Each structure stands twice: as structure tokens, then as C-alpha cells.
Amino acid sequence: MAKKKSNNIDYELHVRVAWYYYKSSMTQEEIANRLGINRARVIKMLETARREGIISVTIKSPYTNCLKLEKRLIECWNLRDAFIIPEVDNTSINENLGAASAQYLETKIGKTNNLIALSWGNTISYFLKYLSLKSYDELSLITLSGGVPTYFYTTFNDNTNPLYRFQNKLQIIPSPLLVTSKQTAKSILQEPEVKSLMRMAELSNIALVGIGSVSNESTFSR
């Protein structure tokens, strides 16, 4: 139970403001007009009421567990941020992760001059499918691996293929994902076009990399 303040009138006013705001759904401006005070004081009193324990907020949602896990991950691994999605069916995990990645990045990246480097995979393909370009004036994408077209053509049909949405914004390393020898790989890495794109990738302000899978059902194996 919150400790009652010595000034009963002041305490009662805090309770009244909290009730009007949270129970009566009044706006801060409406509360200010009703009580004859300014809106800035209403905001300050709501903050004080939360701090003093007059207001106790309970959030009822299946997503709250995700928020708790995010907080634990950030604290445990000293992360800058974390974004956890609710549990989904195994067959839709990649698509949900891709959609969540798109949603997360849309809130974090700036509106202009964004260069995103992508290490490809099934989940990254879904990221492109759900990434919205409506609010970005300049956004470019560059790959970090070869063999990228394979992911497009095996993951999406012609109507949903994100390659068409990004054909003027996506630069793909012109090489296969796998070659038959180390010497061939070294030769490809010396090609001017490949070297140029890899140098450009180093200038990206965001790199998006999937964790991948070691099972026989992984996209890489298929």
C-alpha cells in the first residue's frame, strides 16, 4: 500500500488526477480544465503518482513474457537491444522472424542514406518481403555472400518475389555460393566487381545476418 502523504489535500488531488486519467479516460487537457490547473501540472502529478505508488500499472497480454525475456537477454549478455517474437508453428518460424526483423529495423534506421548488408538465407529473404520502402528516400542493399538468386527463386513465387521490388536497390555479389576448390574461390575474390562490392559492404551502417541451421532441412542443405 502506498504511503499517504502528510498533505491530505495534495494527496487527494493526486488520486483524483490519476482516477480521471486512468479510470475516466479523460485527457490531460480535460483534467486540467476541470480542476483549474495547467496541463504541465497534471503531467507532473501523474508522474509523482506513479513514483509514489498511487498508480499501479498491470499489463495483461501474451506478449508480456516476450518483454520480460528481452529484458533478461539484454541484462545477461550486455546487449544494446533485443526483440523477441511470440512462439509460432515450426513451419512459419522463418517467415515470422523475417517479418519481425523488418518491423524492428524500420523503427531503428534513419530515413536517408541507409546501406544494409545482407548475409543471405531463407529468413533474410522474408525480411525483404516484409520490409517497407514507403518512408525511405534512399535505401540500398548489398549482399555478403554469393548464390543469392537461388534463395529468391526457391523461396518465393513470381508474385511475391522480393527481387523485383528491390531490383534497383539491391547489389548482388556475382558468384556462386560454393565452388569446387580454394583456388577458384581465391580467383573469384580477386575479380574487380567482387572486390568492389565487398569494399562497399564494409561501409554499410547495418549488417543483417541469420543464425542458420545445422540440420539436413536447412536452406543451405536444400
Side-chain angles (χ1 to χ4, degrees):
M1 181 177 293
K3 182 179 179 181
K4 191 171 182 179
K5 290 189 172 184
S6 57
N7 188 333
N8 289 335
I9 295 177
D10 189 48
Y11 179 84
E12 186 271 340
L13 187 59
H14 279 73
V15 174
R16 190 176 297 274
V17 167
W19 182 272
Y20 286 153
Y21 189 73
Y22 287 100
K23 294 296 186 180
S24 300
S25 299
M26 295 174 62
T27 67
Q28 295 170 353
E29 192 67 35
E30 289 172 339
I31 296 172
N33 292 334
R34 180 159 185 168
L35 298 178
I37 57 180
N38 59 48
R39 182 169 175 269
R41 187 178 178 192
V42 171
I43 295 173
K44 185 175 181 180
M45 293 179 77
L46 287 171
E47 293 175 350
T48 301
R50 282 192 291 268
R51 187 171 59 251
E52 296 291 332
I54 296 173
I55 297 170
S56 177
V57 179
T58 301
I59 301 174
K60 295 182 178 180
S61 169
Y63 296 101
T64 54
N65 191 48
C66 292
L67 303 178
K68 292 178 182 178
L69 288 174
E70 288 172 1
K71 184 174 183 295
R72 290 174 61 187
L73 277 175
I74 292 171
E75 293 174 349
C76 181
W77 299 104
N78 194 29
L79 302 177
R80 184 179 301 173
D81 204 356
F83 185 39
I84 295 178
I85 64 171
E87 184 178 4
V88 296
D89 185 80
N90 287 340
T91 59
S92 60
I93 286 178
N94 288 2
E95 182 167 4
N96 278 263
L97 285 174
S101 300
Q103 177 183 328
Y104 178 82
L105 257 68
E106 286 170 7
T107 65
K108 298 298 180 181
I109 62 179
K111 301 301 181 184
T112 58
N113 301 320
N114 294 290
L115 177 59
I116 302 179
L118 305 171
S119 179
W120 224 268
N122 182 261
T123 304
I124 305 301
S125 297
Y126 281 115
F127 161 77
L128 275 192
K129 176 182 177 181
Y130 288 99
L131 182 64
S132 171
L133 291 177
K134 293 180 180 179
S135 58
Y136 305 110
D137 297 326
E138 297 180 27
L139 185 147
S140 299
L141 305 167
I142 188 168
T143 64
L144 294 172
S145 62
V148 170
T150 302
Y151 288 108
F152 283 120
Y153 303 134
T154 58
T155 305
F156 302 99
N157 58 42
D158 290 339
N159 295 327
T160 61
N161 197 321
L163 181 60
Y164 300 108
R165 296 177 58 221
F166 292 90
Q167 56 185 332
N168 297 322
K169 296 178 177 291
L170 174 62
Q171 299 195 62
I172 301 174
I173 293 178
S175 72
L177 179 63
L178 292 173
V179 293
T180 55
S181 68
K182 290 183 180 180
Q183 186 58 45
T184 302
K186 290 180 180 179
S187 297
I188 290 176
L189 290 173
Q190 294 305 312
E191 287 294 322
E193 179 67 12
V194 175
K195 291 176 69 175
S196 175
L197 289 177
M198 294 188 75
R199 283 197 298 267
M200 186 185 300
E202 293 177 355
L203 301 176
S204 62
N205 52 326
I206 293 174
L208 193 64
V209 181
I211 295 174
S213 172
V214 295
S215 73
N216 291 332
E217 295 302 315
S218 68
T219 307
F220 184 87
S221 298
R222 294 201 307 271

